[in-house]
Amino acid sequence: AVSAPLAGLRALVTSGPTHEPIDPVRYIANRSSGRQGHAIAAALARRGATTLLVSGPTAEPDPAGVEVRHIETAAEMWAACRAALPVDVAVCAAAVADWRPATAAGEKIKKAKGKAAPSIALAENPDILAGLSAAGNERPRLVIGFAAETENLVENATAKRRSKGCDWILANDVSPDTGTFGGSDNTVHLVSASGVEDWPRMSKQQVAEQLADRIAAELKRAS
Ligand code: C5P
């Protein structure tokens, strides 16, 4: 028999980058592949959770057994996440753009001889991890975020856990020489209220499996 420790529970996962429009043909984005988030959604679904994946544009296929909502902007991601509540666990693996162009031009911005290069004013995007962590009586029982850092990994992740108000932070080293961003492996540290756990370097697939097992154990413990 298939073991389904998350049967009857609801999971929300964010994944991928967001695209923030400058005009109808241009946008601001980042190099997130969506691999880690998609693998986490698949691992939660395999354990029986009713899983919604809210994803920005990626090359990853929709994972089997997962409901997928495709969005482009941070504002759309936040709206889709809010609409998904209540859930038991939320995992924010998306690389949400911190800023968006304050106004998206309605028409393609034209280049013309003698015309100065345009400057783009930015506005801050909603922080989805912090928003879910502060969702009052709709707050998921377990809220998990990632901290991609290139230095002082654990210190920064510990501070981030507090400032975001989430329960767990998976701190990952994204220094260029690790190949983590867009690559298939990840080195993570699980930061929670009870301390820091160093996980060995493993595939993003294995990180997803281990995290899903930890989530199942935690939700069982806390139920
Ligand atoms: O603040 P920073 O981007 O380093 O935090 C990373 C964590 O916060 C990730 O879990 C990411 O998914 C989440 N985040 C978010 N919404 C934002 C920015 C980050 O959910 N606007």
Side-chain angles (χ1 to χ4, degrees):
V2 179
S3 138
L6 293 173
L9 299 179
R10 289 166 54 80
L12 168 66
V13 180
T14 69
S15 186
T18 61
H19 285 187
E20 308 295 335
I22 296 168
D23 68 18
V25 300
R26 304 182 180 99
Y27 57 81
I28 294 174
N30 61 66
R31 296 187 189 282
S32 168
S33 66
R35 273 194 195 167
Q36 186 64 82
H38 278 58
I40 291 167
L44 292 170
R46 275 197 299 277
R47 284 161 182 73
T50 300
T51 306
L52 175 68
L53 173 62
V54 179
S55 180
T58 76
E60 291 289 299
D62 290 357
V66 172
E67 188 186 333
V68 185
R69 208 142 299 156
H70 296 276
I71 54 79
E72 291 197 351
T73 67
E76 289 164 2
M77 182 174 275
W78 174 227
C81 287
R82 232 179 2 198
L85 299 181
V87 299
D88 296 281
V89 56
V91 183
C92 293
V96 182
D98 290 316
W99 302 282
R100 64 177 180 278
T103 52
E107 307 291 339
K108 184 180 174 191
I109 301 169
K110 294 282 191 208
K111 180 174 69 173
K113 245 208 174 88
K115 187 179 157 196
S119 44
I120 302 171
L122 299 176
E124 199 165 323
N125 268 331
D127 189 312
I128 295 162
L129 176 59
L132 291 172
S133 297
N137 56 8
E138 292 221 293
R139 185 192 193 279
R141 288 156 64 198
L142 189 56
V143 183
I144 304 167
F146 277 80
E149 305 282 353
T150 56
E151 54 184 1
N152 302 330
L153 205 61
V154 167
E155 293 84 342
N156 288 336
T158 304
K160 188 159 295 182
R161 196 185 78 83
R162 293 222 182 79
S163 68
K164 302 270 189 176
C166 63
D167 301 298
W168 297 351
I169 286 272
L170 289 183
N172 52 344
D173 189 346
V174 294
S175 309
D177 55 312
T178 65
T180 296
F181 235 57
S184 60
D185 282 4
N186 210 346
T187 310
V188 309
H189 310 264
L190 174 61
V191 178
S192 70
S194 42
V196 181
E197 244 177 57
D198 301 319
W199 292 6
R201 183 167 182 83
M202 58 180 91
S203 70
K204 290 181 179 177
Q205 181 66 43
Q206 287 170 309
V207 168
E209 300 298 339
Q210 190 148 328
L211 179 63
D213 285 339
R214 293 300 297 269
I215 290 170
E218 180 64 22
L219 290 180
K220 187 174 173 199
R221 203 178 63 82
S223 63

